[in-house]
mmCIF file of all heavy atoms in Angstrom:
data_model
loop_
_atom_site.group_PDB
_atom_site.id
_atom_site.type_symbol
_atom_site.label_atom_id
_atom_site.label_comp_id
_atom_site.label_asym_id
_atom_site.label_seq_id
_atom_site.Cartn_x
_atom_site.Cartn_y
_atom_site.Cartn_z
ATOM 1 N N THR A 7 0.784 -1.183 0.027
ATOM 2 C CA THR A 7 0.012 -0.042 0.010
ATOM 3 C C THR A 7 0.881 1.260 -0.028
ATOM 4 O O THR A 7 0.559 2.182 -0.688
ATOM 5 C CB THR A 7 -0.924 -0.006 1.193
ATOM 6 O OG1 THR A 7 -1.679 -1.200 1.248
ATOM 7 C CG2 THR A 7 -1.797 1.160 1.242
ATOM 8 N N ILE A 8 1.914 1.260 0.792
ATOM 9 C CA ILE A 8 2.838 2.391 0.879
ATOM 10 C C ILE A 8 3.416 2.616 -0.527
ATOM 11 O O ILE A 8 3.521 3.709 -1.032
ATOM 12 C CB ILE A 8 3.855 2.242 1.916
ATOM 13 C CG1 ILE A 8 3.240 2.372 3.292
ATOM 14 C CG2 ILE A 8 5.016 3.276 1.812
ATOM 15 C CD1 ILE A 8 4.182 1.987 4.457
ATOM 16 N N GLY A 9 3.910 1.604 -1.199
ATOM 17 C CA GLY A 9 4.509 1.642 -2.497
ATOM 18 C C GLY A 9 3.515 2.123 -3.454
ATOM 19 O O GLY A 9 3.861 2.953 -4.394
ATOM 20 N N PHE A 10 2.289 1.704 -3.413
ATOM 21 C CA PHE A 10 1.211 2.175 -4.358
ATOM 22 C C PHE A 10 1.085 3.603 -4.256
ATOM 23 O O PHE A 10 1.010 4.367 -5.223
ATOM 24 C CB PHE A 10 -0.099 1.397 -4.116
ATOM 25 C CG PHE A 10 -1.223 1.901 -4.847
ATOM 26 C CD1 PHE A 10 -1.346 1.651 -6.225
ATOM 27 C CD2 PHE A 10 -2.183 2.691 -4.257
ATOM 28 C CE1 PHE A 10 -2.451 2.045 -6.963
ATOM 29 C CE2 PHE A 10 -3.327 3.130 -4.964
ATOM 30 C CZ PHE A 10 -3.413 2.885 -6.306
ATOM 31 N N TRP A 11 0.798 4.115 -2.968
ATOM 32 C CA TRP A 11 0.534 5.546 -2.914
ATOM 33 C C TRP A 11 1.804 6.391 -3.201
ATOM 34 O O TRP A 11 1.673 7.562 -3.612
ATOM 35 C CB TRP A 11 0.030 5.852 -1.449
ATOM 36 C CG TRP A 11 -1.367 5.344 -1.352
ATOM 37 C CD1 TRP A 11 -1.839 4.315 -0.492
ATOM 38 C CD2 TRP A 11 -2.502 5.833 -2.020
ATOM 39 N NE1 TRP A 11 -3.127 4.155 -0.691
ATOM 40 C CE2 TRP A 11 -3.602 5.104 -1.593
ATOM 41 C CE3 TRP A 11 -2.674 6.832 -2.986
ATOM 42 C CZ2 TRP A 11 -4.949 5.307 -2.148
ATOM 43 C CZ3 TRP A 11 -4.012 7.031 -3.477
ATOM 44 C CH2 TRP A 11 -5.103 6.243 -3.101
ATOM 45 N N LEU A 12 2.972 5.905 -2.910
ATOM 46 C CA LEU A 12 4.246 6.599 -3.338
ATOM 47 C C LEU A 12 4.268 6.755 -4.758
ATOM 48 O O LEU A 12 4.617 7.843 -5.332
ATOM 49 C CB LEU A 12 5.395 5.814 -2.777
ATOM 50 C CG LEU A 12 6.763 6.443 -3.086
ATOM 51 C CD1 LEU A 12 6.909 7.898 -2.473
ATOM 52 C CD2 LEU A 12 7.920 5.621 -2.654
ATOM 53 N N MET A 13 3.953 5.719 -5.555
ATOM 54 C CA MET A 13 3.969 5.782 -7.021
ATOM 55 C C MET A 13 2.948 6.766 -7.504
ATOM 56 O O MET A 13 3.235 7.578 -8.494
ATOM 57 C CB MET A 13 3.766 4.446 -7.638
ATOM 58 C CG MET A 13 4.872 3.505 -7.535
ATOM 59 S SD MET A 13 6.366 4.137 -8.361
ATOM 60 C CE MET A 13 5.784 4.158 -10.118
ATOM 61 N N ILE A 14 1.772 6.752 -6.908
ATOM 62 C CA ILE A 14 0.677 7.710 -7.288
ATOM 63 C C ILE A 14 1.189 9.117 -7.031
ATOM 64 O O ILE A 14 1.086 10.004 -7.878
ATOM 65 C CB ILE A 14 -0.625 7.382 -6.540
ATOM 66 C CG1 ILE A 14 -1.189 6.069 -6.932
ATOM 67 C CG2 ILE A 14 -1.640 8.537 -6.738
ATOM 68 C CD1 ILE A 14 -1.588 5.970 -8.351
ATOM 69 N N PHE A 15 1.770 9.403 -5.884
ATOM 70 C CA PHE A 15 2.346 10.712 -5.468
ATOM 71 C C PHE A 15 3.352 11.102 -6.519
ATOM 72 O O PHE A 15 3.367 12.268 -7.001
ATOM 73 C CB PHE A 15 2.792 10.668 -4.105
ATOM 74 C CG PHE A 15 3.487 11.933 -3.672
ATOM 75 C CD1 PHE A 15 2.739 13.137 -3.488
ATOM 76 C CD2 PHE A 15 4.857 12.016 -3.469
ATOM 77 C CE1 PHE A 15 3.378 14.271 -3.090
ATOM 78 C CE2 PHE A 15 5.490 13.138 -3.120
ATOM 79 C CZ PHE A 15 4.725 14.276 -2.901
ATOM 80 N N LEU A 16 4.240 10.266 -6.862
ATOM 81 C CA LEU A 16 5.402 10.604 -7.717
ATOM 82 C C LEU A 16 4.904 10.922 -9.141
ATOM 83 O O LEU A 16 5.294 11.836 -9.704
ATOM 84 C CB LEU A 16 6.432 9.468 -7.787
ATOM 85 C CG LEU A 16 7.330 9.252 -6.558
ATOM 86 C CD1 LEU A 16 8.137 8.016 -6.641
ATOM 87 C CD2 LEU A 16 8.148 10.492 -6.312
ATOM 88 N N LEU A 17 4.010 10.073 -9.648
ATOM 89 C CA LEU A 17 3.548 10.222 -10.980
ATOM 90 C C LEU A 17 2.612 11.491 -11.161
ATOM 91 O O LEU A 17 2.490 12.008 -12.250
ATOM 92 C CB LEU A 17 2.789 8.972 -11.431
ATOM 93 C CG LEU A 17 3.693 7.764 -11.648
ATOM 94 C CD1 LEU A 17 2.905 6.534 -11.951
ATOM 95 C CD2 LEU A 17 4.679 8.014 -12.774
ATOM 96 N N THR A 18 1.829 11.818 -10.095
ATOM 97 C CA THR A 18 0.882 12.892 -10.175
ATOM 98 C C THR A 18 1.338 14.323 -9.769
ATOM 99 O O THR A 18 0.840 15.305 -10.143
ATOM 100 C CB THR A 18 -0.371 12.661 -9.536
ATOM 101 O OG1 THR A 18 -0.154 12.450 -8.144
ATOM 102 C CG2 THR A 18 -1.113 11.412 -10.055
ATOM 103 N N PHE A 19 2.465 14.296 -8.940
ATOM 104 C CA PHE A 19 2.909 15.586 -8.398
ATOM 105 C C PHE A 19 4.406 15.831 -8.672
ATOM 106 O O PHE A 19 4.768 16.820 -9.230
ATOM 107 C CB PHE A 19 2.644 15.671 -6.947
ATOM 108 C CG PHE A 19 3.035 16.971 -6.308
ATOM 109 C CD1 PHE A 19 2.450 18.099 -6.504
ATOM 110 C CD2 PHE A 19 4.200 16.965 -5.484
ATOM 111 C CE1 PHE A 19 2.859 19.297 -5.925
ATOM 112 C CE2 PHE A 19 4.626 18.128 -4.925
ATOM 113 C CZ PHE A 19 3.942 19.335 -5.171
ATOM 114 N N VAL A 20 5.219 14.953 -8.231
ATOM 115 C CA VAL A 20 6.689 15.176 -8.241
ATOM 116 C C VAL A 20 7.257 15.245 -9.643
ATOM 117 O O VAL A 20 7.915 16.219 -10.003
ATOM 118 C CB VAL A 20 7.435 14.194 -7.410
ATOM 119 C CG1 VAL A 20 8.900 14.300 -7.556
ATOM 120 C CG2 VAL A 20 6.936 14.256 -5.947
ATOM 121 N N ILE A 21 6.949 14.299 -10.474
ATOM 122 C CA ILE A 21 7.486 14.285 -11.856
ATOM 123 C C ILE A 21 7.019 15.430 -12.692
ATOM 124 O O ILE A 21 7.771 16.115 -13.329
ATOM 125 C CB ILE A 21 7.313 12.875 -12.470
ATOM 126 C CG1 ILE A 21 8.103 11.838 -11.769
ATOM 127 C CG2 ILE A 21 7.567 12.930 -13.954
ATOM 128 C CD1 ILE A 21 7.892 10.411 -12.198
ATOM 129 N N PRO A 22 5.686 15.663 -12.714
ATOM 130 C CA PRO A 22 5.220 16.898 -13.448
ATOM 131 C C PRO A 22 5.852 18.114 -12.985
ATOM 132 O O PRO A 22 6.148 19.062 -13.790
ATOM 133 C CB PRO A 22 3.662 16.893 -13.301
ATOM 134 C CG PRO A 22 3.324 15.466 -13.000
ATOM 135 C CD PRO A 22 4.464 14.905 -12.284
ATOM 136 N N TYR A 23 5.998 18.286 -11.680
ATOM 137 C CA TYR A 23 6.621 19.544 -11.092
ATOM 138 C C TYR A 23 8.038 19.719 -11.579
ATOM 139 O O TYR A 23 8.456 20.776 -11.947
ATOM 140 C CB TYR A 23 6.529 19.497 -9.588
ATOM 141 C CG TYR A 23 7.089 20.638 -8.814
ATOM 142 C CD1 TYR A 23 6.352 21.817 -8.763
ATOM 143 C CD2 TYR A 23 8.362 20.583 -8.381
ATOM 144 C CE1 TYR A 23 6.855 22.909 -8.038
ATOM 145 C CE2 TYR A 23 8.890 21.673 -7.630
ATOM 146 C CZ TYR A 23 8.176 22.857 -7.465
ATOM 147 O OH TYR A 23 8.689 23.881 -6.896
ATOM 148 N N TRP A 24 8.803 18.575 -11.563
ATOM 149 C CA TRP A 24 10.129 18.532 -12.010
ATOM 150 C C TRP A 24 10.312 18.883 -13.458
ATOM 151 O O TRP A 24 11.063 19.727 -13.844
ATOM 152 C CB TRP A 24 10.755 17.201 -11.636
ATOM 153 C CG TRP A 24 12.127 16.917 -12.139
ATOM 154 C CD1 TRP A 24 13.241 17.629 -11.763
ATOM 155 C CD2 TRP A 24 12.547 15.934 -13.096
ATOM 156 N NE1 TRP A 24 14.303 17.083 -12.398
ATOM 157 C CE2 TRP A 24 13.896 15.987 -13.183
ATOM 158 C CE3 TRP A 24 11.825 14.906 -13.790
ATOM 159 C CZ2 TRP A 24 14.612 15.276 -14.126
ATOM 160 C CZ3 TRP A 24 12.608 14.156 -14.662
ATOM 161 C CH2 TRP A 24 13.913 14.325 -14.759
ATOM 162 N N VAL A 25 9.430 18.240 -14.295
ATOM 163 C CA VAL A 25 9.488 18.450 -15.752
ATOM 164 C C VAL A 25 9.126 19.885 -16.059
ATOM 165 O O VAL A 25 9.706 20.593 -16.824
ATOM 166 C CB VAL A 25 8.629 17.429 -16.491
ATOM 167 C CG1 VAL A 25 8.488 17.856 -18.036
ATOM 168 C CG2 VAL A 25 9.241 16.074 -16.360
ATOM 169 N N GLY A 26 8.107 20.373 -15.468
ATOM 170 C CA GLY A 26 7.621 21.836 -15.623
ATOM 171 C C GLY A 26 8.654 22.809 -15.241
ATOM 172 O O GLY A 26 8.876 23.791 -15.942
ATOM 173 N N GLY A 27 9.260 22.532 -14.123
ATOM 174 C CA GLY A 27 10.340 23.442 -13.648
ATOM 175 C C GLY A 27 11.494 23.449 -14.622
ATOM 176 O O GLY A 27 12.080 24.552 -14.929
ATOM 177 N N ASN A 28 11.875 22.302 -15.149
ATOM 178 C CA ASN A 28 12.989 22.285 -16.147
ATOM 179 C C ASN A 28 12.593 23.004 -17.447
ATOM 180 O O ASN A 28 13.520 23.667 -18.040
ATOM 181 C CB ASN A 28 13.276 20.835 -16.480
ATOM 182 C CG ASN A 28 14.258 20.178 -15.433
ATOM 183 O OD1 ASN A 28 14.941 20.837 -14.723
ATOM 184 N ND2 ASN A 28 14.247 18.937 -15.325
ATOM 185 N N ILE A 29 11.377 22.840 -17.878
ATOM 186 C CA ILE A 29 10.898 23.588 -19.103
ATOM 187 C C ILE A 29 10.996 25.059 -18.904
ATOM 188 O O ILE A 29 11.440 25.783 -19.806
ATOM 189 C CB ILE A 29 9.509 23.091 -19.501
ATOM 190 C CG1 ILE A 29 9.530 21.658 -20.001
ATOM 191 C CG2 ILE A 29 8.928 24.017 -20.516
ATOM 192 C CD1 ILE A 29 8.229 21.032 -20.293
ATOM 193 N N LEU A 30 10.463 25.559 -17.713
ATOM 194 C CA LEU A 30 10.536 27.019 -17.416
ATOM 195 C C LEU A 30 12.033 27.471 -17.401
ATOM 196 O O LEU A 30 12.289 28.569 -17.891
ATOM 197 C CB LEU A 30 9.873 27.295 -16.067
ATOM 198 C CG LEU A 30 8.331 27.175 -16.081
ATOM 199 C CD1 LEU A 30 7.817 27.362 -14.681
ATOM 200 C CD2 LEU A 30 7.697 28.087 -17.071
ATOM 201 N N GLU A 31 12.902 26.656 -16.809
ATOM 202 C CA GLU A 31 14.344 27.070 -16.826
ATOM 203 C C GLU A 31 14.896 27.214 -18.155
ATOM 204 O O GLU A 31 15.659 28.110 -18.495
ATOM 205 C CB GLU A 31 15.145 26.107 -15.933
ATOM 206 C CG GLU A 31 14.987 26.330 -14.382
ATOM 207 C CD GLU A 31 15.498 27.650 -13.955
ATOM 208 O OE1 GLU A 31 16.507 28.054 -14.377
ATOM 209 O OE2 GLU A 31 14.817 28.250 -13.051
ATOM 210 N N ILE A 32 14.605 26.233 -19.011
ATOM 211 C CA ILE A 32 15.093 26.231 -20.457
ATOM 212 C C ILE A 32 14.535 27.509 -21.140
ATOM 213 O O ILE A 32 15.326 28.145 -21.851
ATOM 214 C CB ILE A 32 14.689 24.941 -21.140
ATOM 215 C CG1 ILE A 32 15.521 23.747 -20.603
ATOM 216 C CG2 ILE A 32 14.954 25.107 -22.659
ATOM 217 C CD1 ILE A 32 15.004 22.432 -21.065
ATOM 218 N N LEU A 33 13.319 27.773 -20.931
ATOM 219 C CA LEU A 33 12.707 28.940 -21.616
ATOM 220 C C LEU A 33 13.346 30.224 -21.127
ATOM 221 O O LEU A 33 13.621 31.203 -21.906
ATOM 222 C CB LEU A 33 11.225 29.013 -21.361
ATOM 223 C CG LEU A 33 10.364 27.872 -22.142
ATOM 224 C CD1 LEU A 33 8.868 27.971 -21.712
ATOM 225 C CD2 LEU A 33 10.571 27.978 -23.641
ATOM 226 N N LYS A 34 13.590 30.347 -19.818
ATOM 227 C CA LYS A 34 14.317 31.428 -19.168
ATOM 228 C C LYS A 34 15.690 31.631 -19.768
ATOM 229 O O LYS A 34 16.081 32.838 -20.095
ATOM 230 C CB LYS A 34 14.300 31.343 -17.710
ATOM 231 C CG LYS A 34 14.676 32.641 -17.026
ATOM 232 C CD LYS A 34 14.941 32.404 -15.487
ATOM 233 C CE LYS A 34 13.764 32.004 -14.784
ATOM 234 N NZ LYS A 34 13.951 31.839 -13.330
ATOM 235 N N GLU A 35 16.398 30.522 -19.856
ATOM 236 C CA GLU A 35 17.799 30.641 -20.387
ATOM 237 C C GLU A 35 17.779 31.185 -21.831
ATOM 238 O O GLU A 35 18.594 31.868 -22.304
ATOM 239 C CB GLU A 35 18.486 29.267 -20.280
ATOM 240 C CG GLU A 35 18.832 28.977 -18.836
ATOM 241 C CD GLU A 35 19.418 27.561 -18.721
ATOM 242 O OE1 GLU A 35 19.585 26.850 -19.780
ATOM 243 O OE2 GLU A 35 19.651 27.106 -17.621
ATOM 244 N N ARG A 36 16.839 30.608 -22.692
ATOM 245 C CA ARG A 36 16.719 31.037 -24.043
ATOM 246 C C ARG A 36 16.398 32.497 -24.179
ATOM 247 O O ARG A 36 16.914 33.172 -25.003
ATOM 248 C CB ARG A 36 15.635 30.162 -24.821
ATOM 249 C CG ARG A 36 16.111 28.715 -25.091
ATOM 250 C CD ARG A 36 15.036 28.094 -25.896
ATOM 251 N NE ARG A 36 15.433 26.728 -26.161
ATOM 252 C CZ ARG A 36 14.660 25.828 -26.747
ATOM 253 N NH1 ARG A 36 13.462 26.120 -27.136
ATOM 254 N NH2 ARG A 36 15.069 24.550 -26.975
ATOM 255 N N LYS A 37 15.446 32.977 -23.311
ATOM 256 C CA LYS A 37 15.087 34.342 -23.321
ATOM 257 C C LYS A 37 16.298 35.228 -22.984
ATOM 258 O O LYS A 37 16.528 36.293 -23.584
ATOM 259 C CB LYS A 37 13.919 34.600 -22.364
ATOM 260 C CG LYS A 37 13.377 35.984 -22.361
ATOM 261 C CD LYS A 37 12.187 36.057 -21.402
ATOM 262 C CE LYS A 37 11.626 37.449 -21.343
ATOM 263 N NZ LYS A 37 10.478 37.574 -20.413
#
């Protein structure tokens, strides 16, 4: 159960936050 909820948390919050932050940093550097 702990593993299941950890995967749900990572897939729905942590990974999109990380990818979104990287995209914003790339756009900022290009600008």
Side-chain angles (χ1 to χ4, degrees):
T7 305
I8 290 170
F10 172 76
W11 286 113
L12 178 63
M13 286 300 295
I14 295 296
F15 174 70
L16 289 173
L17 291 173
T18 59
F19 179 73
V20 174
I21 292 175
Y23 181 80
W24 174 62
V25 171
N28 280 336
I29 290 172
L30 289 176
E31 284 293 319
I32 289 169
L33 293 175
K34 189 188 300 183
E35 288 174 5
R36 286 184 183 175
K37 185 177 179 183

